[in-house]
Amino acid sequence: MNPFSAFNFGRLIKTFLPGYVHFLSLLLAGYTVANSLGYQDEFKRLTNHSEVLLSVGVLAGSLILGILSNMVVWGFVTDRFVRRHFPHDGVLREIREQVVQHYLSRVSINGGIKPAHLQALRTFVDPKYLLMHRIDTAKLVYLEESYWYYMEFQLNMAVAGIVAYAAFACYWSHRAFERGLSWKWAAIVVLATLAVGGLWTICVRTARRNYERHANGLVSLLLGHLPSEPRQPE
């Protein structure tokens, strides 16, 4: 088994780029806190200590923050902002249950599973893996790379944009507190708010479209590979 087989270029990019934005936001927030506490010189010496170490830290930190961001997206953002807004989610759930029931009923008839256990198994069985012996793995990978990876990347970038906006707001508020408010400060805050709001709207809308296309493609793939029942002679 190749432990690096799950880390292809597409998966690394969709994890690294949002993580890199998170890393820059963390640096900006750290600089703001250090500057407000009077440790800006120590912060600059720490970041300028070694270019090699800084480069390694950027790569490792971006990947770690990207993975953490993906966990947040998978656990909260996807359900809240994508799945709940998918109009056919109930229909797809019914189709999934029918596919699972189709296979479990055949297993029960053959004596492989007790009928009392079938109801419990419905919540654990994934029809995609039931049909792995029929579906070409390349087709599943194509579906994920075509739609699902883009959806995860878009949601991660939306979250990264919110975090970057928060770090920028802290930094700019600190500067405004030191130098005083001005029309330039207000204009930059308004433009940044509009930019982040537009980025969030675009990313979430395109993520919903990608989720819809992925769901439609997956259901079509599953139904197309269901075993046909032999026709009874008339």
Side-chain angles (χ1 to χ4, degrees):
M1 179 179 179
N2 183 8
F4 299 101
S5 59
F7 295 94
N8 55 32
F9 181 76
R11 294 183 181 182
L12 287 175
I13 288 299
K14 79 178 182 65
T15 302
F16 176 79
L17 289 181
Y20 183 66
V21 176
H22 284 297
F23 189 85
L24 293 180
S25 303
L26 188 62
L27 280 181
L28 183 59
Y31 175 76
T32 303
V33 173
N35 195 21
S36 62
L37 298 177
Y39 294 105
Q40 59 270 22
D41 294 334
E42 288 78 1
F43 184 86
K44 291 179 180 179
R45 283 197 298 267
L46 180 64
T47 55
N48 296 328
H49 182 70
S50 173
E51 294 182 358
V52 176
L53 292 178
L54 182 61
S55 300
V56 174
V58 169
L59 291 174
S62 298
L63 287 176
I64 293 173
L65 291 175
I67 293 173
L68 293 176
S69 175
N70 201 52
M71 292 168 59
V72 174
V73 166
W74 176 257
F76 303 100
V77 180
T78 303
D79 287 334
R80 176 63 180 85
F81 295 99
V82 177
R83 282 197 177 98
R84 294 184 183 180
H85 298 269
F86 184 53
H88 307 297
D89 192 53
V91 177
L92 293 179
R93 193 178 297 111
E94 292 179 1
I95 294 175
R96 173 194 175 278
E97 292 177 356
Q98 292 174 7
V99 173
V100 173
Q101 178 62 28
H102 171 81
Y103 270 93
L104 292 183
S105 61
R106 296 177 63 184
V107 173
S108 177
I109 292 174
N110 295 331
I113 299 178
K114 296 180 180 180
H117 297 162
L118 292 179
Q119 187 65 29
L121 282 176
R122 289 181 181 179
T123 59
F124 302 120
V125 176
D126 191 335
K128 179 172 64 176
Y129 294 101
L130 282 174
L131 294 171
M132 283 296 289
H133 64 289
R134 293 177 173 270
I135 301 177
D136 186 4
T137 308
K139 296 179 180 179
L140 292 175
V141 173
Y142 172 77
L143 266 180
E144 291 184 350
E145 292 181 347
S146 299
Y147 302 115
W148 190 264
Y149 287 178
Y150 282 104
M151 185 200 73
E152 287 185 336
F153 174 74
Q154 290 150 358
L155 293 179
N156 274 289
M157 286 303 298
V159 173
I162 297 296
V163 174
Y165 176 76
F168 172 78
C170 292
Y171 169 75
W172 204 247
S173 299
H174 176 70
R175 288 195 59 184
F177 179 77
E178 287 183 337
R179 303 181 182 182
L181 298 177
S182 64
W183 65 270
K184 292 182 179 180
W185 179 90
I188 291 177
V189 170
V190 170
L191 290 176
T193 304
L194 293 176
V196 172
L199 175 65
W200 175 268
T201 302
I202 293 174
C203 288
V204 170
R205 285 187 177 181
T206 53
R208 290 174 183 173
R209 293 289 300 274
N210 278 319
Y211 178 78
E212 180 180 359
R213 293 178 179 178
H214 176 268
N216 294 338
L218 183 58
V219 170
S220 301
L221 188 63
L222 293 177
L223 294 179
H225 288 81
L226 278 177
S228 57
E229 297 292 342
R231 299 183 60 182
Q232 299 294 334
E234 299 179 0

